[in-house]
Amino acid sequence: MSQRILTFLPEFLLLVALPIMYMVQRYRASATPKTYFTLSRYFLLACLIFTIVLYNKSGYPEYYENSLYTSLFKVIIYLLAWLWFALSCKWFLVEDRNSLGFYALCLVSLAAVSVMISSLNLGVMAAAWFIINLCNYFLLRLNPEHDENSFVEKSYLISIVFFGLLFVLGCWLIWQSCGSLDYGNVQLSLQHLNHADAKSLIGVGLVLAVMLFSLSLAPFHFWYLDFVKTAILPVSGWVTLIPIFAYFASLVDLVVNMFWSVYPQFQVGMIAFALLSLLIGAAGVNGEDNLRCYFGFSTVFHMGFLLISLISFSANSVFSSFVYLVVYVLSMSGVYTSLLGIKSKGIYLETLSAISGLSKPKPYIAAVLLLFMVSLIGSPPMLGFLGKLSVINNLVLEQNYILVAAVLASLILISNGYLRLVKTLYFEEVSHPFDRTDKGIYIFMFANLVVVVVSLLHPRLLMNDFEKMLITVF
Amino acid sequence: MIESLSLLSVIILLPFLGMLFALSSKSDESLGNRNAFNVAVFTVCANLVLILRIFYNLDISKNGLQLVERFNWLENPKIDIILGADVFSVIIIMAVHLAFIIGLYGIKRQSRQKPLVVFGLLFLSLVTGFFLAADIFSFYIFFEAMLFPLFMLIGIYGNIRRDGAIYRFFLYNFLGAAVLFLAVIILYNLQEGQLEISHFSSMKMNEKIEYFMLTSIFISFLSRIPIWPFHYWISSISSNIRNPLVFIITNILPLTGIYGFMRFLPDGMDMLSIFYISALEIIAVITMVFIALIGFTNRDAQYKFFSYITVYYIMYLLALLNHDAFTEINIAFSCFSYLIVIAALEFLSDYLYFEQEEKGLNPDGILCSVPRISFAYSFFILAAVGLPVSSLFVNNFLIVSNLMSKNLNIGLLVVVSLTLVSGALLKNLYRLKDRERLNPDKPCIIDIKRKTYGFLIVIMLILLMSSFKPLWFLEM
């Protein structure tokens, strides 16, 4: 029994941090944003260590299983979370705001993310999904000053309740049809069911729709754009970087180990959603002036790209989309780090026109943004090229030439949108005075670039071992 | 010892390292913001020494790529980066470096040199890699990657009607690169592994694939050459740029398209290849004659110069379509002088333009009072029109006669176009040296410094030597 419980130690450690944070808030008079960051950091580190130690231990294998596949995602998520915690701390220090709520909610969300990745039961997954989204909702509420806030909060709450209900309905239909929610049992049942079993098909469709909603794919992307525009900067960055890994890992696990026999019936629909995301994302980047929405549309585009690559759910496609995801997250973390360094008169700048001519007063931040834009386009010699190469090569292997043409056309369209930003940074005159940038931001940007350069020059480091870990999902 | 060094990768990496140094250099006012500039000069000179060393390691009597270097880059998909050199590629790289150093001299007086040097060195590194790429993947990587520094240079220093021209530049070139990327991936999967460029032209493909490959090759490489329908971006950029280094770099880009044709054109001529090549010849000849006529009649000196550059590139392209080793080596020698001549002429034109602007003069007779610049300008114009002061003289003669022997009509039209653009350049020289039109009441421009003149004399000597024996330095 105790051994079984021990396997939950990483998640438990994340949750233990909460009462300690509360006590610090209550009894320590001089608690600063850094105090909560320090606490979160230590618990996150402990969680990371135990995740690695217990990488293949499973206490309740019918509900929850750790494997090389799940541990890979968890380790990446914890490292990213650590990075984002440190950067967010700078934001809270500058704004002189209490960071307890942010760190506490993020830790709960991380615990739920961890459970979701390892879950082997749809019920457990649905519960974890709901907790992650509830945490997101409370994170959104950390910004009480925004005018539109109440509307965005309400619409987000309605969205997660609605999709939560769809998730539950999907689970119920699958349970009705298969008599279980365990991955293995459902997979066996679906294999033996008649193709015309509408209940199970609707159930599977609803669960997949919830996953697409979570990945902010069009036409379910509306929540994401409002969210990143309204939330405080650390929360926008968090939602962009962290949960996406968990949703990706869960989607792959669901399709490969549960819905595989019925998945071909949904493939065309998934392609349609992916293409729609490419189109809407690329068009949005070309027309948007608000920087957060601009990168929000960019995320919609890249999620579409990811799904296109994933569409066959073969070992090769999972691997190529994973590489693309890593490249995307590295680039977006660089972009959000840069956004944390662009202020004028104490206010973080949020529109394209406000950062015109940034290259003159802030050459390094502009250069980093430029490099990550080139990477997001997928142009060599940046790391983004590896992602593009991996995805297109996989599509060509599968002889999906129409998709290849669609992807390349959309890449040209979105590149035009990214060039708007480059043009604003480099070819226009300075419109605002810019504040001094914290040295920590430069250090993080440099570290990010080092990771990018090392991955580019020696991609086997990134790819070979990851590939071995990823195929354990099959 | 020196043979064991990976010289090819070193000459790619050195400008890249120089770029990093230039990027981190301090803009010190007391040094005239010259740190980045000095780094660039040192880097390019060091690379030139290494390029000479590569020449000594090459066996010039041999065909095919030599000094091959292979780096294992990716496992899935399995990709090795392969580099290799032949006489053609090394001559072109050397010419690009010499043109680059002339361009650097041209920006010496300018402020805000750092971004120019940083992006310039990055371009130099990538374009060197492009000419040394021996496999289709590295070829594509360098082919696309060089667009990024070029885009930045044109955007920052282009002085152009930015939105239209720069977006067209981006759209055409990115479209070309995307098509090539797809072709490369399909080829890679067709071959079930790495493909060396030298094997491409003799590869057997089925009709559909061959059709796709040829279409891709034509679109991607034509997007770099100022031929209809892709000519607009380069003409509007070239005729507006007033920065010698950016002008030179922009005009190296068409060479990458021509080099691509040279490496990728199929050996055997089946019906499909004949159709494509005939269509290309017709479009190229019409564009060439048309641009030569406009250049002859246009009064803008910069446009005349652009038309000269375009006609030469189209001539090289038409000659390359014959696909024989003799023509290729002649093009290499001709191109060597051609790149140096256009760089030197742009450097001098830019100098004259800024002097004119500063003193409010018109160009008529402007060279009369400045003997050094007058001599240098005249020399380079005479070299440009093909008089026996550079390798353009002999090698152009051989290229054109070869063209005529293959197709008399095309050869004649090439000669007409060359005559028109040469006439345009001579007309412009006459205008600049016409003492009668000189206004004695206006102040004179200042002549170039002795140091700069000395530098130009060295360049002239290199050109003169190339007219006697293109690879003279190997016998030193």
Side-chain angles (χ1 to χ4, degrees):
Chain A
M1 181 68 180
S2 57
Q3 269 186 343
R4 283 184 160 202
I5 291 171
L6 195 69
T7 57
F8 287 105
L9 195 58
E11 291 82 5
F12 178 72
L13 279 167
L14 291 174
L15 297 177
V16 163
L18 302 183
I20 296 173
M21 280 183 178
Y22 176 73
M23 281 192 277
V24 168
Q25 159 97 344
R26 192 155 169 75
Y27 298 111
R28 186 172 164 178
S30 59
T32 65
K34 214 170 178 178
T35 315
Y36 302 113
F37 163 58
T38 309
L39 275 172
S40 312
R41 187 173 55 176
Y42 287 130
F43 281 97
L44 198 55
L45 185 66
C47 169
L48 181 63
I49 291 168
F50 280 103
T51 301
I52 294 168
V53 171
L54 303 168
Y55 77 95
N56 60 352
K57 298 286 173 203
S58 305
Y60 295 87
E62 61 276 29
Y63 297 112
Y64 182 94
E65 187 182 51
N66 285 324
S67 63
L68 275 174
Y69 174 77
T70 62
S71 302
L72 169 68
F73 280 95
K74 286 183 189 181
V75 167
I76 293 175
I77 286 173
Y78 294 149
L79 288 172
L80 268 175
W82 189 88
L83 167 87
W84 193 246
F85 280 176
L87 283 166
S88 303
C89 178
K90 303 211 174 290
W91 186 90
F92 283 104
L93 284 168
V94 169
E95 296 281 306
D96 196 22
R97 300 263 293 266
N98 187 347
S99 63
L100 172 67
F102 174 75
Y103 287 113
L105 285 166
C106 288
L107 289 177
V108 176
S109 184
L110 275 180
V113 158
S114 170
V115 172
M116 187 173 180
I117 292 174
S118 293
S119 66
L120 284 178
N121 182 291
L122 263 182
V124 174
M125 182 189 260
W129 179 89
F130 198 72
I131 292 170
I132 295 169
N133 283 282
L134 212 56
C135 287
N136 285 350
Y137 171 70
F138 287 112
L139 283 168
L140 182 62
R141 285 176 58 125
L142 290 177
N143 184 6
E145 293 150 14
H146 207 282
D147 295 340
E148 286 178 294
N149 221 5
S150 56
F151 169 74
V152 175
E153 278 172 26
K154 275 180 200 160
S155 65
Y156 182 65
L157 189 62
I158 291 167
S159 304
I160 59 170
V161 169
F162 176 71
F163 278 92
L165 287 173
L166 288 187
F167 206 159
V168 172
L169 182 63
C171 291
W172 183 75
L173 288 170
I174 290 170
W175 187 75
Q176 284 275 307
S177 179
C178 306
S180 169
L181 289 177
D182 291 348
Y183 284 17
N185 292 337
V186 173
Q187 189 180 24
L188 278 176
S189 304
L190 287 175
Q191 277 169 358
H192 296 109
L193 275 176
N194 188 335
H195 277 290
D197 183 355
K199 261 188 191 173
S200 59
L201 285 182
I202 294 171
V204 172
L206 290 176
V207 173
L208 288 178
V210 174
M211 283 294 127
L212 299 188
F213 164 82
S214 310
L215 283 168
S216 61
L217 276 145
F220 311 112
H221 64 289
F222 50 88
W223 70 271
Y224 176 73
L225 297 170
D226 284 340
F227 194 107
V228 290
K229 189 178 174 185
T230 313
I232 56 173
L233 196 51
V235 173
S236 295
W238 174 266
V239 169
T240 302
L241 301 175
I242 309 294
I244 277 173
F245 264 106
Y247 296 137
F248 173 83
S250 302
L251 178 65
V252 171
D253 206 1
L254 274 177
V255 174
V256 170
N257 293 322
M258 197 175 186
F259 301 149
W260 186 243
S261 53
V262 291
Y263 172 71
Q265 299 181 54
F266 295 94
Q267 206 171 22
V268 177
M270 300 276 264
I271 292 172
F273 289 134
L275 290 177
L276 191 63
S277 303
L278 290 181
L279 187 68
I280 290 178
V285 168
N286 276 281
E288 190 57 58
D289 188 55
N290 182 290
L291 276 174
R292 293 212 221 162
C293 285
Y294 180 91
F295 289 111
F297 276 115
S298 165
T299 300
V300 173
F301 174 88
H302 291 289
M303 288 303 109
F305 208 106
L306 192 77
L307 190 62
I308 288 264
S309 158
L310 198 56
I311 217 76
S312 68
F313 284 91
S314 61
N316 221 8
S317 74
V318 169
F319 175 61
S320 61
S321 46
F322 174 80
V323 171
Y324 192 82
L325 183 64
V326 171
V327 170
Y328 157 78
V329 167
L330 278 175
S331 303
M332 285 310 267
S333 63
V335 166
Y336 269 91
T337 310
S338 309
L339 292 185
L340 280 167
I342 310 172
K343 278 184 298 173
S344 178
K345 296 176 185 166
I347 297 168
Y348 287 92
L349 299 177
E350 295 198 342
T351 57
L352 264 180
S353 45
I355 59 164
S356 61
L358 184 77
S359 64
K360 283 165 200 140
K362 304 265 171 209
Y364 293 110
I365 293 187
V368 167
L369 268 173
L370 173 70
L371 289 178
F372 286 118
M373 288 299 100
V374 177
S375 182
L376 284 172
I377 291 172
S379 176
M382 290 307 295
L383 188 61
F385 172 65
L386 277 187
K388 184 173 89 171
L389 172 69
S390 198
V391 170
I392 304 281
N393 186 48
N394 179 51
L395 288 176
V396 170
L397 270 177
E398 290 168 2
Q399 301 194 330
N400 268 326
Y401 294 114
I402 294 172
L403 283 185
V404 172
V407 163
L408 289 179
S410 65
L411 261 176
I412 292 176
L413 187 62
I414 200 167
S415 307
N416 193 50
Y418 286 146
L419 290 183
R420 280 177 63 221
L421 178 65
V422 175
K423 188 171 155 268
T424 309
L425 295 175
Y426 279 88
F427 309 160
E428 286 177 9
E429 294 305 315
V430 183
S431 62
H432 284 74
F434 293 97
D435 295 352
R436 197 183 142 272
T437 302
D438 190 288
K439 273 188 185 160
I441 302 282
Y442 286 119
I443 292 169
F444 278 107
M445 285 193 309
F446 182 72
N448 197 332
L449 276 182
V450 169
V451 174
V452 166
V453 170
V454 170
S455 312
L456 186 71
L457 294 178
H458 201 61
R460 280 171 292 169
L461 270 183
L462 172 75
M463 297 167 97
N464 285 13
D465 294 336
F466 283 0
E467 191 176 7
K468 284 175 199 153
M469 290 175 168
L470 279 171
I471 54 167
T472 59
V473 76
F474 290 95
Chain B
M1 173 66 189
I2 198 102
E3 275 78 6
S4 63
L5 278 173
S6 307
L7 278 177
L8 301 187
S9 38
V10 171
I11 62 165
I12 298 171
L13 284 176
L14 203 62
F16 187 79
L17 284 176
M19 179 209 74
L20 294 179
F21 272 105
L23 188 67
S24 56
S25 69
K26 205 173 174 184
S27 299
D28 191 347
E29 292 287 337
S30 61
L31 289 169
N33 294 321
R34 210 56 79 61
N35 283 340
F37 176 82
N38 291 337
V39 167
V41 171
F42 176 77
T43 308
V44 180
C45 290
N47 237 20
L48 273 170
V49 173
L50 290 175
I51 293 166
L52 274 179
R53 178 71 231 191
I54 289 173
F55 258 119
Y56 285 106
N57 287 1
L58 275 181
D59 181 352
I60 52 171
S61 60
K62 261 189 191 171
N63 279 333
L65 295 175
Q66 301 169 49
L67 312 175
V68 174
E69 294 171 17
R70 185 184 285 264
F71 305 96
N72 182 225
W73 186 53
L74 264 182
E75 283 302 326
N76 183 14
K78 174 101 179 87
I79 296 175
D80 291 345
I81 297 290
I82 308 173
L83 303 173
D86 58 6
V87 177
F88 187 100
S89 55
V90 184
I91 286 179
I92 297 292
I93 291 169
M94 196 177 202
V96 167
H97 276 71
L98 285 169
F100 193 89
I101 215 160
I102 296 170
L104 276 176
Y105 245 86
I107 61 159
K108 211 172 169 185
R109 300 195 298 177
Q110 296 188 4
S111 58
R112 213 184 163 207
Q113 289 172 353
K114 193 168 160 178
L116 188 54
V117 165
V118 167
F119 289 117
L121 284 175
L122 181 60
F123 179 84
L124 189 66
S125 167
L126 295 171
V127 86
T128 306
F130 173 79
F131 288 119
L132 293 177
D135 71 287
I136 51 168
F137 263 106
S138 36
F139 183 88
Y140 162 73
I141 288 171
F142 289 116
F143 183 78
E144 187 176 347
M146 72 177 83
L147 289 179
F148 156 65
L150 190 60
F151 176 81
M152 298 306 296
L153 284 171
I154 293 171
I156 300 172
Y157 298 96
N159 299 327
I160 48 172
R161 290 161 287 161
R162 278 166 185 157
D163 290 64
I166 204 156
Y167 280 112
R168 269 196 196 92
F169 157 73
F170 162 76
L171 185 72
Y172 292 160
N173 284 292
F174 200 76
L175 179 74
V179 172
L180 184 66
F181 177 59
L182 187 55
V184 164
I185 298 266
I186 291 175
L187 262 184
Y188 173 83
N189 286 297
L190 197 73
Q191 280 292 107
E192 293 172 348
Q194 197 77 10
L195 178 66
E196 288 180 27
I197 295 177
S198 49
H199 298 160
F200 177 83
S201 50
S202 54
M203 235 182 102
K204 295 278 171 277
M205 291 173 248
N206 70 39
E207 200 179 331
K208 264 187 186 171
I209 300 275
E210 192 188 356
Y211 180 76
F212 175 76
M213 286 301 152
L214 280 173
T215 312
S216 310
I217 286 168
F218 275 76
I219 292 176
S220 51
F221 298 142
L222 273 186
S223 67
R224 297 275 167 104
I225 306 170
I227 287 184
W228 183 89
F230 301 105
H231 67 292
Y232 178 76
W233 72 266
I234 200 162
S235 67
S236 68
I237 287 173
S238 291
S239 51
N240 284 291
I241 287 177
R242 287 290 169 197
N243 182 308
L245 188 62
V246 180
F247 183 90
I248 290 161
I249 287 176
T250 308
N251 282 292
I252 286 170
L253 199 66
L255 188 59
T256 62
I258 288 167
Y259 184 78
F261 272 115
M262 189 188 107
R263 293 291 187 214
F264 280 85
L265 271 181
D267 267 346
M269 288 291 171
D270 55 11
M271 286 306 285
L272 204 60
S273 315
I274 290 170
F275 167 75
Y276 267 103
I277 288 173
S278 307
L280 180 62
E281 277 176 345
I282 292 167
I283 297 171
V285 167
I286 292 172
T287 312
M288 180 169 69
V289 175
F290 190 66
I291 288 183
L293 276 170
I294 298 178
F296 189 73
T297 51
N298 202 319
R299 275 184 70 82
D300 179 19
Q302 196 75 356
Y303 197 90
K304 283 181 191 292
F305 196 31
F306 162 73
S307 64
Y308 167 78
I309 292 170
T310 304
V311 165
Y312 261 71
Y313 274 134
I314 296 178
M315 178 186 75
Y316 292 144
L317 176 67
L318 288 168
L320 273 174
L321 294 179
N322 292 327
H323 214 298
D324 66 90
F326 174 74
T327 313
E328 280 172 15
I329 202 67
N330 275 307
I331 288 174
F333 294 143
S334 170
C335 223
F336 175 80
S337 296
Y338 163 75
L339 284 175
I340 295 172
V341 165
I342 59 170
L345 279 176
E346 177 57 23
F347 165 59
L348 293 170
S349 305
D350 196 66
Y351 181 87
L352 290 175
Y353 175 79
F354 280 105
E355 285 289 318
Q356 267 172 245
E357 290 288 300
E358 212 172 84
K359 300 197 165 70
L361 302 171
N362 72 38
D364 298 333
I366 201 170
L367 289 180
C368 295
S369 55
V370 277
R372 285 182 214 137
I373 197 165
S374 175
F375 173 70
Y377 198 87
S378 308
F379 179 90
F380 288 117
I381 289 284
L382 295 180
V385 299
L387 290 183
V389 286
S390 78
S391 64
L392 285 171
F393 173 64
V394 177
N395 297 105
N396 280 6
F397 176 77
L398 292 170
I399 292 168
V400 173
S401 51
N402 198 28
L403 260 172
M404 281 183 157
S405 69
K406 295 275 165 42
N407 188 327
L408 185 63
N409 294 333
I410 290 180
L412 285 174
L413 286 170
V414 169
V415 171
V416 169
S417 305
L418 286 176
T419 312
L420 282 172
V421 288
S422 301
L425 289 184
L426 289 170
K427 217 164 87 177
N428 194 46
L429 178 67
Y430 179 76
R431 192 177 161 211
L432 295 177
K433 294 185 77 137
D434 187 359
R435 199 175 285 276
E436 283 173 15
R437 291 204 212 171
L438 190 65
N439 186 347
D441 302 331
K442 291 265 185 182
C444 293
I445 61 166
I446 300 166
D447 208 346
I448 45 174
K449 287 179 185 162
R450 277 175 198 277
K451 221 163 118 183
T452 312
Y453 190 54
F455 169 71
L456 289 175
I457 293 283
V458 173
I459 300 289
M460 288 179 214
L461 285 175
I462 292 174
L463 284 178
L464 270 175
M465 296 295 275
S466 75
S467 71
F468 300 120
K469 196 170 176 64
L471 297 178
W472 50 271
F473 47 85
L474 291 181
E475 289 163 15
M476 276 166 68

